[in-house]
Amino acid sequence: KQLLAGGIVDLIDPRWRTQALALAASVLAIHGTPVHILTMSNAKSQRMAESLRSVFEALGLSFSYVSNAMPLSARAAAYRSAIVCGTHRELAGAYLQDRLYLAGKSRLLLRTLGDATVQAAGKSMPMLPGLCFALVEDADLVMLDDAYAPVTISMEADQAQERLLYEQTLELARACVAETDFTFDDHGIRLTEAGSERLALMVSPLGGIWGARQRREELVTTALHALHVLERERHYRVIHGRIVFSEPDPQDEAADDQPDPVLVKLVELKEGCRLSGARDVLARISVPRFFRRYLNVAGVCADARGLEEDFWSLYNMKVTRVGPQAEKLRCRHRMFLSLEAKRVAVHAAIAEHAAIGSVVVAVRTPAEAQMLVEALAQAGITAGLLRGLMDENERDTLSGLNAVGGVAVALFPAEGQVEQIEERRVPLHLVVAELHDAERHVAKLLRSFGAGSCEQLLSLDEEGVAARVGHVATGIAGFYGTSTDELPAQQSRWLISLAQRDAEQSRSLMRRDLILRDEYMSDLLAFSGRRE
C-alpha cells in the first residue's frame, strides 16, 4: 500500500524488500500501468529478474530484463513489457536516446551507439513507451548516493589533426641522435644547437605550428622523454589498451601527481594505443531530474534513518518504516596516528581472523586494493579481489570464502553491490580499511557479506579523515603521540563517527545544491524556449 501511494519504505530484510517490490509491480501491471523496477547494478538487476520472472509469468504478465550489453533492437522490444527490470542509468540512457531521436539526431545517435543503419534504428526507436511508475531497490544508494554523476550520452571528438601532430612529433624525435642532437643532464633532455638547427631543417616543409621554434622544440623534447626516459612496466603499464601511469614516489618532491597531457598522448602513440581525448556531450540529465520525469516513484531501502529530509527535499517523498528497524552497527573502531601503523594493524587483523575463518577487507579505490593484495602476497597470504559488479571468478572467490575460508579484498564503494552470503559455513570477519561516507554504508557491507564481526581501521593522516576531523585531529594526535600509535577506543569511535557524520552532511548539502542547479537550468530552458 505504501509503495503504491509513492514514497520510501524502510525494510530491513532483503527478502521482504524483494517481495514488496514484486507485489507492488504485479498490482500496477494488472491494472495496466507499465512498471520499471530499478536497481543500482546490472548484477543486482539480473539476480532480481531471475528470482521474479517465474512469479510474473505465472500471473500472465510480460516481464523483461534489460542491460547495456543487449542490442538496441532487443532493448527496444524489452521496454514494451509490462514490467521491466534494469539499472536506473540504463533507463535514463534510453530516455536520453529517445530525446535525441525525437529531436532529429538519429544519425548522430547511431554513430554514438555503434548500430549498423538508420533504418534499423527507425524500427526500434523511440524505445520507451513512457515513464509511468518506478519502483527502486536500495533507494538510498540509487536516488541519493548516486545523484551527483549525471547520465550522459557522448561521442569521441574528431582527433585526426591532433593525432597527425603527435605522430609527426614522434617521427621527428626518432630521427634525433643522442649526444649529437640532444643530451641528458640533471634537468632532463635538452636539444643541442646542432639538434635545433637540424630540427628546423626537417620541419621546414611542414609549416603551420612547426614554424614556431619554441613550440616545436618543446614538443620534440617531450617526445624524446617519452621515447628514451619512460619505460613500460616501470613508469607506466598498458591495461586494456589504455596507459596507466605508476604512482609517483612520495620521496621525490619533484614528481608530478598528474603527468603532462601531451606526454600521455605521445606515450599512447608510442605503444600503439587509442588516443585519449575529450568527448562531445550530446545529452545529459541528472539522476534527480530523471526520476522527476516519472509520473510516480516509490522505493525500498534497508535503513533510511537520517535521510528523511533528503528524500523530501529532492523528491517530495516521505519515509515509512515497516517491521523491525535495523540494529545499531556493532563495530570495533580503531584510529591510528599514522597510515603505516594502520596498515600494520590491518595485516595483523587479517592474519588473526584468517587463521580461524575468512576475512573480507573493504577498501574504496582500485589503487588501495591492488597495494593491499600485493602486500599480502609478499607476506605469504593469497587474497582474492572482489568488486561491486563481480565476474564468475570473483563469485567463485566469494563462494570459497563461504565454504572453506580465506582472504578477499573487496573494492566496495558506497554504491556497489555484492551477493549476500545467506548461510555461512565458516566465521567471516569484515575489516573496513577506508573511510565510508556514513555508518549505514558500513552496516550495508556487514549485511551484504553476512559477516559475524566487523572492525573499522583508519588513520588520522588519511586524506578523507583529515579533511573531516582536521580541526580536532591535531590536538588529539599531540596528546597521544608520545605514548602510542593507536588512540583509545572511546576517542577512536568518536572521531570516526564524527568524520562519517560530517561526510554525510556534506553530501546532503551537495544534493540540495544539485537540485537548485537543476531548477535554475529548467528556468533557463523554459525562458529560451529550448527543449531539455
Side-chain angles (χ1 to χ4, degrees):
K1 181 179 177 181
Q2 296 294 336
L3 289 177
L4 295 177
I8 304 298
V9 177
D10 193 332
L11 280 169
I12 182 60
D13 194 315
R15 293 170 296 182
W16 293 353
R17 296 199 298 271
T18 302
Q19 292 168 6
L21 292 175
L23 183 58
S26 300
V27 172
L28 290 167
I30 289 173
H31 283 79
T33 303
V35 182
H36 294 160
I37 300 178
L38 305 181
T39 66
M40 187 69 198
S41 68
N42 282 316
K44 189 65 175 289
S45 295
Q46 187 173 4
R47 290 195 298 271
M48 182 168 288
E50 292 171 354
S51 64
L52 297 181
R53 183 179 300 276
S54 59
V55 176
F56 295 134
E57 290 179 350
L59 295 172
L61 302 173
S62 58
F63 173 75
S64 297
Y65 158 70
V66 293
S67 71
N68 52 15
M70 298 169 59
L72 184 65
S73 57
R75 275 182 282 164
Y79 286 128
R80 263 52 181 189
S81 300
I83 303 173
V84 178
C85 184
T87 67
H88 66 295
R89 290 191 168 271
E90 170 62 30
L91 271 293
Y95 172 78
L96 290 180
Q97 291 169 23
D98 286 352
R99 300 293 296 180
L100 286 174
Y101 183 80
L102 295 173
K105 299 180 180 180
S106 57
R107 290 185 177 272
L108 197 60
L109 181 59
L110 285 175
R111 179 182 166 191
T112 304
L113 299 176
D115 285 79
T117 62
V118 176
Q119 183 179 5
K123 294 179 180 179
S124 59
M125 295 185 72
M127 293 188 292
L128 294 176
L131 299 178
C132 296
F133 208 115
L135 296 173
V136 187
E137 163 70 356
D138 287 330
D140 55 332
L141 301 182
V142 174
M143 303 177 71
L144 298 182
D145 291 343
D146 200 41
Y148 313 102
V151 180
T152 61
I153 294 179
S154 61
M155 60 183 295
E156 290 191 359
D158 185 8
Q159 296 177 292
Q161 293 296 324
E162 187 179 23
R163 185 180 184 89
L164 176 61
L165 172 65
Y166 293 131
E167 287 176 345
Q168 291 174 340
T169 303
L170 282 177
E171 291 303 317
L172 292 170
R174 290 189 177 103
C176 295
V177 180
E179 302 301 333
T180 301
D181 297 326
F182 65 92
T183 59
F184 295 90
D185 57 27
D186 295 337
H187 300 286
I189 295 179
R190 293 176 179 271
L191 290 175
T192 63
E193 285 296 327
S196 297
E197 294 176 1
R198 184 162 177 259
L199 180 60
L201 291 175
M202 288 191 291
V203 302
S204 56
L206 300 178
I209 192 175
W210 299 109
R213 176 176 177 175
Q214 181 177 356
R215 180 57 177 158
R216 68 171 177 255
E217 291 186 359
E218 288 177 352
L219 283 172
V220 172
T221 300
T222 304
L224 289 170
H225 184 80
L227 292 173
H228 301 289
V229 176
L230 298 184
E231 299 177 10
R232 184 169 177 170
E233 303 301 334
R234 179 185 174 189
H235 298 100
Y236 63 89
R237 292 180 296 165
V238 181
I239 302 177
H240 302 304
R242 290 292 185 184
I243 302 297
V244 179
F245 279 83
S246 304
E247 293 290 333
D249 185 355
Q251 303 298 328
D252 186 2
E253 297 181 356
D256 293 330
D257 292 337
Q258 297 294 332
D260 181 11
V262 174
L263 180 62
V264 172
K265 294 183 178 182
L266 288 169
V267 173
E268 288 172 340
L269 290 180
K270 167 189 170 183
E271 296 294 343
C273 298
R274 193 174 184 177
L275 195 66
S276 63
R279 298 178 64 87
D280 293 330
V281 177
L282 305 180
R284 90 168 56 187
I285 189 170
S286 68
V287 171
R289 180 184 287 270
F290 168 66
F291 278 109
R292 289 199 293 272
R293 293 293 175 267
Y294 279 93
L295 296 178
N296 293 283
V297 180
V300 295
C301 61
D303 187 3
R305 287 176 295 184
L307 302 177
E308 296 88 349
E309 188 175 352
D310 287 307
F311 276 118
W312 179 255
S313 62
L314 265 70
Y315 303 103
N316 292 333
M317 299 173 69
K318 293 183 178 180
V319 176
T320 303
R321 291 183 177 84
V322 179
Q325 293 187 4
E327 294 183 2
K328 188 171 179 60
L329 177 66
R330 295 180 180 180
C331 178
R332 181 187 180 191
H333 296 82
R334 302 177 65 186
M335 181 72 80
F336 300 88
L337 298 180
S338 67
L339 189 60
E340 184 59 34
K342 187 201 81 169
R343 287 174 176 167
V344 171
V346 168
H347 294 170
I350 292 172
E352 175 187 354
H353 292 279
I356 59 175
S358 54
V359 182
V360 172
V361 186
V363 297
R364 287 183 62 94
T365 62
E368 185 71 16
Q370 191 61 40
M371 287 175 55
L372 183 55
V373 170
E374 293 173 356
L376 291 175
Q378 293 178 359
I381 300 175
T382 301
L385 183 62
L386 304 176
R387 290 186 292 269
L389 184 60
M390 295 185 291
D391 57 26
E392 291 302 322
N393 292 332
E394 291 168 332
R395 290 182 186 276
D396 292 342
T397 300
L398 192 57
S399 299
L401 288 175
N402 186 25
V404 297
V407 180
V409 178
L411 180 58
F412 194 101
E415 63 271 14
Q417 289 294 320
V418 296
E419 186 174 2
Q420 184 179 9
I421 302 177
E422 296 182 354
E423 296 182 2
R424 296 191 308 276
R425 300 180 187 175
V426 296
L428 192 148
H429 183 75
L430 175 66
V431 177
V432 182
E434 290 189 12
L435 179 69
H436 279 63
D437 295 322
E439 188 176 279
R440 62 187 171 89
H441 296 145
V442 180
K444 185 176 289 291
L445 281 170
L446 191 66
R447 292 191 298 268
S448 296
F449 286 109
S453 56
C454 173
E455 58 184 316
Q456 188 170 9
L457 289 78
L458 299 174
S459 68
L460 285 175
D461 57 0
E462 284 184 73
E463 181 179 353
V465 179
R468 303 300 177 190
V469 296
H471 56 293
V472 295
T474 304
I476 293 178
F479 183 79
Y480 292 101
T482 57
S483 57
T484 179
D485 287 332
E486 181 177 358
L487 298 183
Q490 184 176 358
Q491 281 77 8
S492 295
R493 172 178 290 276
W494 178 70
L495 277 177
I496 293 175
S497 299
L498 179 64
Q500 289 175 333
R501 285 198 305 271
D502 186 71
E504 182 67 15
Q505 290 172 1
S506 297
R507 281 181 166 264
S508 179
L509 292 175
M510 291 172 61
R511 288 191 285 263
R512 294 173 192 177
D513 180 67
L514 180 65
I515 288 298
L516 293 176
R517 291 174 182 271
D518 266 0
E519 292 174 351
Y520 177 68
M521 182 59 66
S522 296
D523 292 342
L524 287 180
L525 291 174
F527 180 78
S528 63
R530 295 179 59 189
R531 290 186 175 185
E532 180 181 44

